[in-house]
């Protein structure tokens, strides 16, 4: 006899399971958005369903640029959870006013330095247990202009 | 408020243990009761258990009741579990302290326990992701090392802190751990070994990181009247403070080399104790990674901001220096069984302030501090004294 196991650390992104589902839907279309409080207008990162300033739970979606710059980064060589390949680049990416934590991916990921331009490059990961697609945030280095 | 003291303390061997979650509870309970023969399990009025992830590591919730039954404690005033990631143990001590200070209990055990190592090694690493935000961090494969690596990089860029200075924290704490029979690592470490160890997350190398460790620790807290009744050498809780800046990396202050919540927690504890950083002769600080100890020197007020690197380099954090930091061996030397760590720090203060720390004894220790954090923005500080306020 065995027990059934089905939880992983990827978020449940679908409308049935997450108030912020539109973030993921747009991410899947290659767009980056965040929440803006419908009452006081404050924008947040990460997106949130409750405003810490005015306690409103109504929000609209605000478009963010797809381009940002590396504000800080580290390269992890050892001790990554199974399924992630080393070396893995973790960065804080500045996009407009937001400081976004995300991995840098792609063949040139390890070439980034502080100040490097990067562009949104969402990654599709395992579907959830009901078969809904799941996308995660990631950025890729932008080719330096020739 | 009533005065509160530690009157008993015990700790298990830390390491990759051939023991179950409940075995560790039994061991820590036994060691703690052995330190205070006048008290039997039935005498305790309460139990607080600090434990982070037994749901993942032992398929077990309902922890305080499990531990109470395992140890024969029948709580009549307080039974609770505290979960605050790596600071769960000290958060538990604060609860018991507050209950006793308020007059709601007289005699309470706080036990911290974690069984992190798993039959499948990858599961132990996966579980570490449960301590960061699932939706915005853990999903990317984030665990603690890259977070603290970002702080280290910032500190190096901002203040010129060197890789060698970070390595010296590892050398010091591994050297201390070699004098602690309960430590995970007891072989010490040279500067060459630390600098030559494999890279985990740049610039943090293996010997600048705490390992995945199993262990448990327990202390007994008592009201002043009970404490004086039970022992002629109680160790008094003189101050406590806790402060948070944020949970996710994105919400923390932009400069990761500054941890203002630690300074606020320390200032609150110093104020309550009526002391300053200069009065502290020994400190058990949360060196989950070498950079955390360097920043702790600064935010706890042992040196100026940015001077943490030179502080360790000049030996000011070691025996013969300004303040002996991590005489127990720290998290790097002893290991870091999450919920057990804060309680194990208290057991060291108990031994040190009673003059029972053997080869690790800090001479003339009258006031000591523990610092426990859960991430870079969440901090808890306790001040203990040989003398009551």
């Amino acid at each position: 006899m065995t027990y059934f196991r089905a939880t992983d650390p990827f978020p449940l992104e679908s409308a049935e399971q997450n108030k912020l589902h539109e973030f993921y839907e747009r991410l899947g279309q290659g767009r980056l958005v965040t929440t803006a409080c419908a009452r006081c207008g404050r924008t947040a990162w990460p997106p949130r369903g409750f405003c810490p300033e005015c306690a409103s739970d109504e929000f609209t979606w605000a478009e963010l640029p797809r381009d940002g710059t590396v504000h800080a980064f580290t390269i992890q060589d050892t001790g990554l959870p199974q399924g992630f390949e080393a070396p893995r680049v973790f960065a804080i990416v500045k996009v407009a006013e937001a400081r976004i934590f995300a991995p840098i991916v792609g063949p040139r990921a390890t070439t980034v330095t502080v100040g490097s331009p990067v562009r949104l490059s969402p990654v599709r990961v395992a579907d959830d247990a009901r078969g809904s697609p799941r996308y995660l945030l990631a950025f890729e280095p932008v080719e330096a202009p020739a | 408020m009533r005065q509160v003291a530690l009157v008993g303390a015990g700790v298990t061997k830390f390491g990759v243990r051939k023991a179950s979650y409940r075995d560790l509870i039994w061991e820590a309970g036994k060691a703690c009761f052995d330190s205070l023969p006048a008290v039997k399990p039935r005498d305790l009025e309460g139990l607080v258990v600090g434990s982070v992830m037994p749901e993942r590591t032992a398929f077990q919730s309902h922890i305080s009741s499990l531990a109470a039954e395992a140890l024969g404690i029948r709580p009549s005033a307080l039974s609770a579990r505290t979960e605050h990631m790596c600071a769960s143990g000290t958060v538990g001590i604060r609860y018991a302290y507050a209950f006793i200070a308020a007059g709601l209990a007289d005699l309470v055990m706080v036990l911290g326990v974690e069984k992190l190592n798993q039959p499948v090694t990858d599961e132990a690493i996966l579980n570490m992701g449960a301590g960061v935000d699932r939706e915005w961090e853990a999903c990317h494969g984030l665990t603690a090392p890259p977070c603290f690596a970002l702080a280290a990089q910032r500190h190096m860029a901002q203040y010129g802190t060197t890789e060698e200075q970070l390595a010296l924290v590892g050398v010091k704490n591994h050297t201390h751990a070699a004098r602690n029979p309960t430590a995970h690592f007891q072989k010490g470490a040279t500067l060459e070994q630390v600098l030559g160890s494999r890279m985990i997350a740049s610039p943090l190398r293996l010997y600048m990181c705490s390992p995945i460790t199993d262990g448990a620790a327990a202390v007994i807290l008592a009201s002043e009247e009970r404490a004086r009744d039970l022992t002629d050498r109680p160790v008094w809780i003189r101050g406590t403070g806790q402060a948070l800046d944020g949970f996710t990396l994105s919400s923390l202050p932009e400069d990761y080399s500054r941890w203002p919540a630690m300074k606020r927690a320390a200032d609150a504890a110093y104020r309550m104790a009526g002391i300053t950083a200069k009065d502290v002769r020994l400190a058990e600080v949360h060196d989950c990674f070498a950079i955390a100890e360097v920043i702790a020197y600064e935010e706890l007020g042992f040196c100026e901001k940015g001077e943490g690197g030179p502080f360790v380099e000049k030996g000011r954090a070691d025996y013969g220096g300004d303040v002996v930091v991590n005489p127990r061996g720290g998290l790097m030397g002893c290991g870091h069984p999450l919920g057990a760590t804060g309680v194990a720090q208290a057991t060291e203060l108990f031994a040190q302030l009673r003059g029972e720390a053997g080869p690790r004894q800090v001479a003339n220790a009258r006031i000591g501090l523990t610092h426990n954090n859960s991430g870079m923005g969440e901090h808890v500080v306790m001040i203990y004294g040989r003398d009551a306020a």
Side-chain angles (χ1 to χ4, degrees), chain A:
Chain A
M1 202 156 86
T2 58
Y3 273 112
F4 169 76
R5 290 176 292 173
T7 302
D8 67 29
F10 296 134
L12 300 174
E13 302 180 352
S14 67
E16 297 78 43
Q17 301 175 100
N18 198 324
K19 185 176 180 176
L20 302 174
H21 62 96
E22 285 167 275
F23 170 84
Y24 297 104
E25 285 155 16
R26 289 170 201 196
L27 189 65
Q29 299 159 5
R31 292 162 64 194
L32 184 60
V33 294
T34 193
T35 50
C37 174
R39 189 190 294 172
C40 75
R42 178 192 157 110
T43 58
W45 185 268
R48 51 189 301 150
F50 177 88
C51 178
E53 293 300 316
C54 73
S56 165
D57 65 353
E58 290 173 27
F59 57 86
T60 59
W61 290 101
E63 206 80 26
L64 287 172
R66 297 173 67 235
D67 289 289
T69 55
V70 173
H71 179 62
F73 75 101
T74 181
I75 301 176
Q76 186 165 5
D77 292 317
T78 314
L80 285 155
Q82 196 179 50
F84 295 93
E85 272 179 38
R88 185 157 174 84
V89 183
F90 292 107
I92 304 291
V93 177
K94 270 229 167 130
V95 176
E97 296 304 304
R99 283 182 287 129
I100 298 177
F101 172 77
I104 308 295
V105 299
R108 289 174 297 110
T110 56
T111 65
V112 294
T113 57
V114 171
S116 289
V118 290
R119 182 166 296 151
L120 185 70
S121 178
V123 174
R124 184 165 177 181
V125 297
D127 293 352
D128 74 17
R130 294 177 178 177
S132 300
R134 293 191 287 187
Y135 293 90
L136 294 181
L137 197 58
F139 290 85
E140 206 167 334
V142 175
E143 210 78 62

Side-chain angles (χ1 to χ4, degrees), chain B residues 7 36 38-39 107 220 222 225-233:
Chain B
V7 294
L36 189 65
V39 166
L107 202 59
I220 295 173
E225 195 184 351
R226 290 304 304 278
R228 293 199 191 280
D229 206 31
L230 290 169
T231 173
D232 53 4
R233 281 174 300 161

